[in-house]
Amino acid sequence: MLALIVALVLSTRIKAQTYTATYLPSNAPDHTQQGQYGTNECGSVSSQTSLCQNAYINSVDDFCLFAPPYSGPNATIGDTERVEVSWCLRDGYGTRLIPDGSITGAHFLQTPDYVQVTGVGDLTRLNIPAGDQGGELDPHGADGNGNPIGGLVFSNAFGQLQQLHEWTNYMSDTQFCFRACKPGPSATSFCQHIYDVMGCLWNMPGNYDAGVFERCSGDDGEPMGVYGTSTWKQNQPTTPSAHPAPSSSLCTTYSSIGNGLLVRSVSNATNATTTPTMTSATHSTMISATPGPTFGDSGITASNTATSSTLSGSRKVNSGTHTNFITGWQISLSASAILLGLALCF
């Protein structure tokens, strides 16, 4: 019986083992996950029709947010979490640009273990419907492929540009918060992703004031959900108060943030968007895109022409990302242990 228990433990441990591929924007493939709507091979030309799913969080005037690729009543964060695309303040990442004036307050905090940006604005200009209370995005999702599927996050805040594997981004029509954790033993604690209904103020207490743009250094504070030696779970009956915001210092204030290149970058672009429709396919997940509502903005001309395309989740998929793997000796060891356990039982 003991051998059977050992075999079951080994089998469970094998299933839990994962590895994660690491990329830079320069070597990221077209798709990093099966079933991905957009791309990670983004180039450097910004476009308001870009399907780039690479986000950057470097400073108060150099960060991105994940938001819907199309507008309309079916473009809530809950409806589009699997297909969000990257909207950035800086030109040159191959993403969409956050329209100037959309962000009315932003506060960047760098701690020893993570970078974080919190703020407010008119995020309906990023296709989020008015009145949408929003939701949470992270690299895991229900199936391990992430929300959005294939979304990658990069930062140069800790030195050289690198991929930050653990991150969490809450978006609504008026408020945002985005935290990405430095690789290390504390990354999963400070970038926890299980409190999806608790929102920004509970998960990332900090400054959300409008009319202020600042970059600060700060302490880590307490991991979300951890209170002393106890960890609160979202389905428990009593909800604890949010942790106090971590202390900050060495703040630099900016008069405004923006790209100033929005009109020039997209003046000749066709402002078409696509609404993804899931269809079944053999051995791979296919996403066929059908025309969705177009959107307009100052300096951008909305088009009545929508681009239709088909994106195959099996094209250029890198199986090394969030993929379970089992080596031959582990299979043999588990099989032997199970047979030994059965022999002892009978």
Side-chain angles (χ1 to χ4, degrees):
M1 182 62 71
L2 178 60
L4 182 59
I5 294 173
V6 171
L8 292 174
V9 170
L10 281 172
S11 178
T12 302
R13 184 175 179 181
I14 290 169
K15 289 181 180 179
Q17 287 179 317
T18 62
Y19 73 101
T20 304
T22 298
Y23 301 106
L24 289 174
S26 58
N27 63 22
D30 184 15
H31 287 164
T32 55
Q33 291 288 5
Q34 187 170 344
Q36 186 172 346
Y37 174 63
T39 182
N40 303 114
E41 195 174 44
C42 301
S44 59
V45 179
S46 298
S47 165
Q48 297 309 93
T49 60
S50 169
L51 297 182
C52 179
Q53 293 178 302
N54 296 341
Y56 299 78
I57 178 167
N58 296 324
S59 182
V60 69
D61 61 347
D62 185 6
F63 67 87
C64 308
L65 300 170
F66 284 114
Y70 53 87
S71 63
N74 62 337
T76 66
I77 297 298
D79 289 332
T80 59
E81 61 180 7
R82 309 240 72 186
V83 299
E84 311 293 22
V85 297
S86 183
W87 298 70
C88 300
L89 282 174
R90 286 278 180 98
D91 192 15
Y93 294 139
T95 66
R96 303 188 186 201
L97 292 176
I98 296 174
D100 283 353
S102 301
I103 306 298
T104 57
H107 310 269
F108 182 88
L109 180 69
Q110 180 166 351
T111 80
D113 285 299
Y114 61 83
V115 286
Q116 172 180 295
V117 61
T118 58
V120 292
D122 179 8
L123 304 183
T124 64
R125 301 177 77 182
L126 277 62
N127 287 339
I128 300 176
D132 182 15
Q133 296 184 6
E136 189 253 358
L137 308 165
D138 63 67
H140 302 281
D143 58 5
N145 290 329
N147 288 329
I149 298 174
L152 302 181
V153 174
F154 301 96
S155 179
N156 60 20
F158 299 106
Q160 295 292 325
L161 183 67
Q162 63 181 322
Q163 182 182 349
L164 302 185
H165 294 286
E166 296 296 333
W167 54 270
T168 177
N169 176 201
Y170 289 79
M171 298 291 294
S172 76
D173 63 334
T174 59
Q175 188 180 74
F176 65 89
C177 56
F178 198 159
R179 178 184 290 185
C181 286
K182 181 180 180 180
S186 300
T188 55
S189 297
F190 284 110
C191 283
Q192 187 56 265
H193 59 90
I194 62 174
Y195 303 111
D196 55 322
V197 302
M198 299 305 296
C200 278
L201 298 180
W202 192 90
N203 279 278
M204 296 179 226
N207 193 344
Y208 289 82
D209 290 346
V212 180
F213 306 95
E214 62 182 5
R215 173 176 181 151
C216 301
S217 298
D219 298 330
D220 283 334
E222 298 295 326
M224 55 272 277
V226 177
Y227 296 84
T229 58
S230 300
T231 299
W232 178 74
K233 302 297 183 182
Q234 195 167 255
N235 58 353
Q236 292 177 344
T238 303
T239 301
S241 300
H243 289 305
S247 61
S248 60
S249 60
L250 303 176
C251 293
T252 301
T253 302
Y254 295 67
S255 59
S256 64
I257 57 174
N259 45 70
L261 299 174
L262 181 64
V263 175
R264 183 166 72 252
S265 297
V266 302
S267 59
N268 295 322
T270 300
N271 194 20
T273 55
T274 56
T275 304
T277 302
M278 297 292 185
T279 59
S280 60
T282 303
H283 302 304
S284 66
T285 302
M286 303 288 290
I287 302 179
S288 62
T290 55
T294 59
F295 67 98
D297 210 324
S298 58
I300 305 175
T301 303
S303 169
N304 292 324
T305 303
T307 302
S308 180
S309 62
T310 300
L311 300 177
S312 170
S314 60
R315 180 165 54 95
K316 292 190 179 180
V317 173
N318 187 301
S319 60
T321 307
H322 301 297
T323 305
N324 293 334
F325 70 98
I326 303 175
T327 61
W329 71 266
Q330 288 172 320
I331 295 174
S332 299
L333 178 60
S334 293
S336 299
I338 292 171
L339 291 174
L340 178 60
L342 292 173
L344 290 175
C345 290
F346 297 101

